[in-house]
Amino acid sequence: MGGGFSRNMKVTIIGASVSGLFLAYLLAKEGVEVEIFEKEENAHGSLRTLIVTSKIYEAMEFIPEESILNKIKHLELSSRSQTLRLELKDPDLVIERGRLLSLLAHLAEEAGAKILFRHRFEGFAQFGKKTLVSLRNLKINEPIKVSTDVLVGADGALSTVGRFASLDGHPLVTLLQARVTLPQSMSADTTQIWFRPDQTKYFYWLIPESDRTAAVGLIANDSRQAEACLTEFLQSKDLEPFEFQSALVPMHRFRYGGDVLSEERNVFAVGDAAAQVKVTTVGGVVTGLHGARALTDAILNGRNYPKALRKLKIELNLHLLIRQILNRFSGEDYDQLIGMIHGRLKETLEEWNRDELTQSFLRLIWTEPRLIKLGAKALLKSFL
Ligand SMILES: Cc1cc2nc3c(=O)[nH]c(=O)nc-3n(C[C@H](O)[C@H](O)[C@H](O)COP(=O)(O)OP(=O)(O)OC[C@H]3O[C@@H](n4cnc5c(N)ncnc54)[C@H](O)[C@@H]3O)c2cc1C
C-alpha cells in the first residue's frame, strides 16, 4: 500500500470467519467502507471447539466472554512411559467458534461493515489502482461485479483468492476431532496431550469443553489416516463419539510470499488464506487475529504489509523450526523430552505460552541445553 488510507477508500473482504470479520471490525471502526462477502448462509460456520491461549485478549483487546466454554488450568503431557502435569500461569480458553463468529459479526456490523452472505468469490481483474471483483449471488444464482480499492482474501485454507492470484496453495493437513462425554476419571480443567509418533507426527488431544463433554482429536496428513487413527484411539480410551468436526488447515512455510497477491499491492491475504498458522499445534485463531491487526496497520497507515507482519512471521518461523525437529522425534525421544522437564524448565513452560515463543525460546534452551542435543540427535537420525 502506498500513501495510506483515504476517507473514501473501499475494502472488500472475502470470507466472514475469524480473520475476515476481525479485520472488517478494525477497519470499519476507523471509518473505512468495508464489505464482506461470505458464501455460506450465516456467520456461525461449521461447529468447531477451539482452544486458544490467553494471548487472544491481547490480539483482540477485549475478552470474548460470550464465546468461552471453559478455562483450562493444567496441561498433561504423556509419551510411552512418561507423564508430566503443567500448571498454566494463564489458563487456556476453550472457545465455541460459532459463538465467536456471531460476536465478531455483530461488532463488525455495529462499526459499519456490510456483510453479504450467500455470495461466492469467483475472480478478480485489476484496472490500475482499482480491482474488479467477480462474485456469484447464490440466492438467485446471478453473477455480480464489485469495484474496490483493496481486496482481501480471508477465505481460509483453500483460498480461491490466493489460487486466482496463481499461487500454488499451501501444504495442508487434516484436523479431525470427535466430541465425547468427558470420562469421570478426567478433570474438566485439564487438557491431555498424548505423543504417539508411530501414528501421527503431531499428537492426540482431549480438550474438556465442560465437566460433561470434551473434544478429542488429532492432526494427520490426510483424512483417511486421521479417521483410522482417531477410531482406534477412541476405542483404546473407551470413548464414544457423538459428533465429528473436521477440516483442512494450511501449514506456514519459511519465506512464503502469499500475503500480498498483486503487483499493485492492493490484494492481500490474511489468516488461514495466508497460512498464518502455528505449525507446532496447528492453531490459527490468535495468529489470524494478529495478521488482521498487521493488515489494518498497513491499510490505514500506508505501511508495507510484509513489514507489519514481521513480528508474527518470526513467531511462525520458530514454530516451524520446532515442528521440523518434532517431525523427526521417535517415541523414545518424547520419553527423554518429557523426562527432562522439571525444575526451572517446567517453571518456564508453565509461565510462557505457545503464542509467545519468540520471548521464551532462548530462555528454554538456556534453562536446559540438553534440548539442543535432543533436537540435533533427532535431525541427525533422520538424515542417517
Ligand atoms: C476441527 C478444527 C479444530 C481446530 N482447532 C483449533 C484450535 O483449537 N485452536 C486454534 O487456534 N485453531 C484451531 N483450528 C484452526 C482454526 O480454526 C483456523 O486457523 C481459523 O479458523 C482460521 O480462520 P480464518 O478466518 O482465517 O479462515 P476460515 O475459518 O477457514 O474461514 C474462511 C471463510 O471464507 C469463506 N469462503 C471460502 N471460500 C469462499 C469464497 N470463494 N467466497 C466467499 N467466501 C468464501 C468460508 O466459508 C469461511 O467462512 C482448528 C481447525 C479445525 C478444522
Side-chain angles (χ1 to χ4, degrees):
M1 289 289 307
F5 158 64
S6 83
R7 280 272 146 216
N8 37 23
M9 181 187 277
K10 178 174 170 186
V11 177
T12 300
I13 301 171
I14 309 299
S17 184
V18 182
S19 319
L21 288 170
F22 189 57
L23 175 68
Y25 160 66
L26 293 176
L27 289 170
K29 79 184 171 74
E30 295 303 325
V32 181
E33 183 189 348
V34 182
E35 261 181 2
I36 314 180
F37 292 96
E38 166 59 53
K39 65 179 169 57
E40 301 299 335
E41 257 166 58
N42 53 48
H44 305 153
S46 47
L47 280 174
R48 206 177 281 183
T49 305
L50 305 169
I51 186 161
V52 295
T53 69
S54 56
K55 283 277 152 185
I56 194 168
Y57 300 146
E58 218 171 83
M60 295 185 106
E61 290 180 354
F62 61 86
I63 301 175
E65 283 295 354
E66 298 90 324
S67 58
I68 301 175
L69 298 175
N70 192 14
K71 294 192 179 173
I72 300 293
K73 299 197 185 103
H74 298 98
L75 195 59
E76 207 165 283
L77 307 175
S78 303
S79 62
R80 288 178 325 183
S81 65
Q82 301 276 351
T83 298
L84 170 78
R85 191 171 167 81
L86 296 172
E87 186 174 343
L88 305 176
K89 185 174 147 250
D90 296 313
D92 279 350
L93 307 174
V94 182
I95 281 184
E96 208 293 287
R97 177 179 180 246
R99 292 195 207 168
L100 180 64
L101 296 189
S102 299
L103 169 70
L104 290 173
H106 173 73
L107 288 173
E109 284 184 318
E110 209 175 48
K114 230 161 101 186
I115 309 177
L116 292 107
F117 292 102
R118 302 287 289 139
H119 282 75
R120 188 178 65 213
F121 167 87
E122 296 195 326
F124 69 87
Q126 298 214 275
F127 299 95
K129 292 202 176 310
K130 287 277 178 190
T131 299
L132 196 62
V133 187
S134 302
L135 297 134
R136 181 161 294 271
N137 179 338
L138 299 172
K139 288 180 222 159
I140 50 172
N141 199 21
E142 290 277 328
I144 60 164
K145 300 243 187 262
V146 169
S147 171
T148 192
D149 299 293
V150 175
L151 171 65
V152 181
D155 52 342
L158 298 172
S159 176
T160 328
V161 179
R163 271 183 293 154
F164 199 82
S166 311
L167 285 192
D168 55 353
H170 315 288
L172 300 167
V173 290
T174 299
L175 203 156
L176 177 65
Q177 62 184 15
R179 293 184 70 215
V180 300
T181 302
L182 184 71
Q184 279 182 345
S185 59
M186 292 188 186
S187 163
D189 70 356
T190 304
T191 290
Q192 311 257 358
I193 300 288
W194 294 271
F195 296 107
R196 300 281 185 272
D198 51 324
Q199 293 160 29
T200 167
K201 286 186 289 191
Y202 297 82
F203 46 83
Y204 290 95
W205 61 81
L206 178 141
I207 301 167
E209 298 171 339
S210 65
D211 53 8
R212 289 192 303 277
T213 60
V216 180
L218 87 156
I219 299 148
N221 289 339
D222 58 63
S223 59
R224 209 190 285 175
Q225 184 201 356
E227 270 172 47
C229 288
L230 188 59
T231 307
E232 206 182 305
F233 186 76
L234 291 171
Q235 279 167 3
S236 74
K237 299 276 171 208
D238 216 6
L239 297 168
E240 190 64 46
F242 59 83
E243 182 188 304
F244 286 95
Q245 306 171 348
S246 143
L248 295 169
V249 182
M251 303 298 278
H252 168 72
R253 283 176 281 169
F254 292 123
R255 302 184 65 77
Y256 172 65
D259 318 301
V260 181
L261 301 174
S262 70
E263 277 176 20
E264 289 295 330
R265 303 184 83 78
N266 58 358
V267 181
F268 304 101
V270 74
D272 272 21
Q276 290 164 352
V277 173
K278 300 187 294 278
V279 298
T280 45
T281 55
V282 191
V285 173
V286 174
T287 43
L289 295 171
H290 280 299
R293 274 207 180 276
L295 185 50
T296 303
D297 181 21
I299 291 173
L300 293 180
N301 304 316
R303 283 189 68 200
N304 178 302
Y305 181 40
K307 268 197 191 143
L309 279 173
R310 195 170 283 161
K311 203 168 148 212
L312 177 63
K313 284 288 175 82
I314 293 173
E315 183 80 17
L316 294 177
N317 285 342
L318 269 179
H319 280 272
L320 180 52
L321 183 72
I322 292 177
R323 168 56 41 219
Q324 294 196 339
I325 294 171
L326 291 180
N327 283 352
R328 291 159 168 91
F329 262 39
S330 63
E332 196 187 320
D333 294 328
Y334 275 113
D335 285 342
Q336 268 193 45
L337 177 67
I338 294 184
M340 255 180 218
I341 304 174
H342 48 76
R344 293 265 298 119
L345 182 60
K346 182 167 178 280
E347 279 167 27
T348 309
L349 282 171
E350 291 177 331
E351 197 177 322
W352 297 89
N353 69 46
R354 55 196 180 280
D355 279 307
E356 43 193 8
L357 202 54
T358 320
Q359 289 114 297
S360 59
F361 187 66
L362 288 177
R363 204 164 138 182
L364 287 169
I365 289 174
W366 180 256
T367 312
E368 182 44 276
R370 280 182 302 164
L371 287 172
I372 300 183
K373 203 170 144 198
L374 186 61
K377 199 180 82 185
L379 281 175
L380 206 63
K381 249 188 341 198
S382 78
F383 290 129
L384 295 173

